[in-house]
Amino acid sequence: MPQLAAAALAVVLLGAACSDATTGTTLPPDPATILEASAEVMGDIDYVRFTIERGGAPIYIDTADALAFEDAEGRFAAPSSADAIVTIKVTSLTTKIGAVAIDGETWLSNPITGTFEPAPVGYNLDPATLFDPEEGWRPLLASGLVDVELVGLERREGGEFYHLRGTADRERIGIITAGLVDDQDVVLDIWIDPETGYVREAEFITIYRGEETTWRLAFSD
């Protein structure tokens, strides 16, 4: 079953398509208008590539605090399928494992055999939740941010984007980090395409056991 799931997901992801066509107009520099447009398009994503990068204090993806998350690079296909290559650190050893998530079930590749196996109880990384239209980016952008300000139009990798800053609700930040962060509100910086409304980057800092953990999420295709 796990190998079939991985193969099926590959077909879904290869067959998925995402139109990044622009509207031909630029969103006005108003935070409420930008967030409204972004919530709509981020909730309707068919396919996207994503990266999640962590720095600073470790974050563990298992209840035994044995597997420290380093970064992940993956793909999402609507409505609820995702795969990713996840870099983890076990004591002083860094390794990569594959993760496949389909309809709420997750499989991980065995680092020794490469065979996909059901994720153990307590595993806390489901990349498909980032783009769930009812739980992920759409509700965060629509109602999960407070004290939002437009920092400006800034050049980042790939072009110029609106930079917004606001405080994100702890429940929503937990979902858009695929379950890696919970139980705290954070100041969230996001960069949004002024023509399409897509979120291109997000950065924030969390506190874990008294130490800072830095986060960066990026989206493309």
Side-chain angles (χ1 to χ4, degrees):
M1 172 62 183
Q3 296 289 14
L4 290 176
L9 178 60
V11 172
V12 171
L13 291 167
L14 288 171
C18 173
S19 172
D20 198 18
T22 64
T23 61
T25 60
T26 300
L27 294 170
D30 170 66
T33 303
I34 296 169
L35 289 176
E36 181 180 4
S38 189
E40 181 176 354
V41 298
M42 291 299 288
D44 288 335
I45 282 177
D46 293 318
Y47 173 84
V48 63
R49 292 182 180 272
F50 63 88
T51 60
I52 306 175
E53 301 172 352
R54 181 208 59 80
I59 295 292
Y60 297 95
I61 61 175
D62 66 320
T63 54
D65 286 0
L67 307 177
F69 174 83
E70 295 291 302
D71 59 57
E73 182 175 355
R75 304 170 295 177
F76 165 83
S80 58
S81 301
D83 68 355
I85 300 297
V86 182
T87 304
I88 59 172
K89 180 176 286 188
V90 185
T91 61
S92 60
L93 175 66
T94 298
T95 187
K96 294 181 183 293
I97 60 174
V100 171
I102 303 176
D103 295 333
E105 295 187 60
T106 303
W107 293 267
L108 303 178
S109 66
N110 186 299
I112 298 175
T113 66
T115 302
F116 277 85
E117 304 167 349
V121 175
Y123 174 78
N124 294 324
L125 178 62
D126 180 354
T129 60
L130 280 73
F131 307 100
D132 185 309
E134 302 301 323
E135 301 290 340
W137 276 99
R138 174 179 281 169
L140 171 67
L141 295 166
S143 60
L145 289 171
V146 297
D147 301 326
V148 181
E149 62 173 319
L150 175 62
V151 179
L153 185 66
E154 296 181 356
R155 176 161 293 279
R156 307 283 284 189
E157 183 178 350
E160 287 190 326
F161 306 105
Y162 282 137
H163 177 189
L164 276 69
R165 179 178 295 138
T167 300
D169 173 83
R170 63 189 60 196
E171 179 181 357
R172 297 302 171 195
I173 206 68
I175 292 171
I176 68 155
T177 57
L180 292 169
V181 173
D182 61 7
D183 206 28
Q184 59 185 293
D185 300 342
V186 303
V187 175
L188 179 67
D189 287 88
I190 52 177
W191 288 265
I192 296 175
D193 190 305
E195 292 189 354
T196 65
Y198 288 125
V199 174
R200 290 300 186 180
E201 290 185 54
E203 294 180 355
F204 57 94
I205 296 174
T206 58
I207 304 299
Y208 183 74
R209 297 178 180 176
E211 298 183 75
E212 287 190 350
T213 301
T214 60
W215 298 87
R216 177 180 178 270
L217 286 70
F219 309 103
S220 61
D221 291 350

